[in-house]
Amino acid sequence: MDWNRELDRIVEEAELESMYGQVSEIEPELDFQLKRIAEHYGEGANPYRAGCEETARSLLIRILSDERLKEIHSAKYRVKTAESLIGKCIRKKAELPRLPGEDWDVEKYRPLCGDNYYKVITDLVGIRILIRYPQQWRMVHEWILDVFAPWKQDCVKDWEAAYPEEGAGNFLAEQPRLYVRYGNEISAYLVDGELPFRPTISKEGYCSLHYLVWYEGHYAEIQVRTIFDEAWGECTHDLVYNRHRNSGNRQELERLSVCLAAQTQSAGMLASLMYDMAFPGEDREEPAADGYLAGRIFKGPALQDEERR
């Protein structure tokens, strides 16, 4: 494979020409490091991506086979493609300020190279759990806390130093994250009067819980959201973010996406009210019928990358 030609294709299709040029001026070895990443991740007799695929399948089956999660709507997984990984490397490098700062979510990508990319980019494996009603987040939250050992750091600052040793058990890598549309939504996620998440207000209308876990030798990001928020995300991804950035109606589409997010919140609130009316005084609904696993496991090629990390 002609790597230079392949890299040009990735950059052009992702509309990263400006970012790529910006990073290339600062890091002369950018092309070489990106090639090393692509080769290690997706080529050779034992590519790293193959191990990620095994981990993703194993975790998904565990989720869908656990009786405690039989009330979820569905779950799916995705493993980043090599093209998506290269694009993310370029974007994250371009977002770095000239001088190092203390925004660890940004600074984690400064030392990114072919030797450590799998230690720094922690969403190569993505799992998405969809719930029908907003209240059901607690069910999934409790399951995750039971399956994974608690986090030792609220926010990891040195991902290379924190990379687990071989044979490490399953654990939460850092404090889970909460993305909501409005600040007054945060109180719905309190546990015993305290917030177990790092909250972020999303101007775009994004609403989800993110858990970064270490599972069977790989990092995996578990996202939990309602079917309403998933529908908004799919629509926005297909009709807004997949459009060329220089499209004439891009800004109008973004405004409509924010309006749709408000309607999505209303739908979730109505579903939540109906849930409380249907099950007054109960913490959770009755278990679903047997056979809940059938038809709910599928690989999601359309599962978009949420560049939130």
Side-chain angles (χ1 to χ4, degrees), residues 66-85:
D66 197 305
E67 289 287 313
R68 293 170 293 177
L69 293 180
K70 63 166 54 180
E71 296 168 14
I72 67 172
H73 176 272
S74 57
K76 55 185 175 181
Y77 81 90
R78 71 98 178 94
V79 176
K80 274 191 183 297
T81 63
E83 291 84 356
S84 176
L85 173 58

Side-chain angles (χ1 to χ4, degrees), residues 39-305:
E39 290 176 344
H40 181 266
Y41 185 66
E43 299 180 11
N46 186 29
Y48 191 79
R49 189 177 189 277
C52 292
E53 186 83 19
E54 292 180 6
T55 293
R57 288 179 177 272
S58 175
L59 181 52
L60 182 64
I61 290 174
R62 181 165 185 174
I63 290 169
L64 293 176
S65 301
D66 197 305
E67 289 287 313
R68 293 170 293 177
L69 293 180
K70 63 166 54 180
E71 296 168 14
I72 67 172
H73 176 272
S74 57
K76 55 185 175 181
Y77 81 90
R78 71 98 178 94
V79 176
K80 274 191 183 297
T81 63
E83 291 84 356
S84 176
L85 173 58
I86 295 302
K88 178 164 186 173
C89 291
I90 295 172
R91 283 192 296 271
K92 294 304 181 181
K93 284 285 190 178
E95 292 172 0
L96 287 168
R98 289 282 181 173
L99 298 177
E102 295 187 0
D103 186 343
W104 306 113
D105 289 336
V106 174
E107 289 298 324
K108 65 182 288 188
Y109 299 102
R110 194 173 293 277
L112 177 66
C113 66
D115 293 324
N116 63 15
Y117 76 93
Y118 58 90
K119 300 178 181 179
V120 175
I121 297 181
T122 52
D123 65 343
L124 297 176
V125 173
I127 301 288
R128 188 165 300 169
I129 298 177
L130 303 184
I131 54 179
R132 289 170 287 170
Y133 309 106
Q135 293 93 327
Q136 291 178 321
W137 74 265
R138 292 179 182 271
M139 167 186 64
V140 182
H141 180 76
E142 291 171 0
W143 180 85
I144 290 176
L145 294 185
D146 183 62
V147 171
F148 297 93
W151 62 90
K152 297 180 180 179
Q153 304 180 64
D154 291 346
C155 176
V156 177
K157 298 180 180 180
D158 187 339
W159 286 94
E160 286 195 82
Y163 193 74
E165 297 180 356
E166 186 175 355
N170 303 329
F171 64 91
L172 275 158
E174 60 179 3
Q175 186 177 18
R177 302 182 182 223
L178 165 66
Y179 297 91
V180 293
R181 300 182 181 94
Y182 307 104
N184 59 8
E185 295 178 291
I186 294 177
S187 61
Y189 296 90
L190 297 177
V191 176
D192 296 329
E194 297 184 358
L195 185 67
F197 304 99
R198 294 171 58 194
T200 297
I201 308 299
S202 170
K203 296 180 180 179
E204 297 85 6
Y206 182 72
C207 186
S208 184
L209 296 172
H210 287 198
Y211 299 83
L212 180 60
V213 303
W214 177 263
Y215 183 77
E216 294 186 355
H218 295 88
Y219 284 120
E221 184 179 75
I222 301 176
Q223 299 178 0
V224 182
R225 67 187 62 158
T226 67
I227 53 177
F228 305 103
D229 291 314
E230 175 71 356
W232 172 86
E234 293 287 343
C235 181
T236 298
H237 179 260
D238 293 343
L239 304 180
V240 181
Y241 295 106
N242 269 359
R243 300 278 294 175
H244 291 296
R245 291 178 175 81
N246 58 0
S247 297
N249 61 353
R250 175 64 182 265
Q251 289 187 342
E252 185 63 24
L253 285 169
E254 290 176 346
R255 286 194 291 268
L256 289 173
S257 176
V258 173
C259 293
L260 182 60
Q263 299 303 313
T264 301
Q265 184 195 32
S266 298
M269 292 172 63
L270 287 173
S272 179
L273 176 61
M274 293 172 66
Y275 181 96
D276 288 338
M277 293 177 65
F279 302 101
E282 295 186 13
D283 293 332
R284 58 189 299 174
E285 65 182 22
E286 293 295 325
D290 291 339
Y292 64 93
L293 181 60
R296 294 199 303 156
I297 178 170
F298 57 94
K299 180 177 179 181
L303 178 57
Q304 67 266 28
D305 292 335

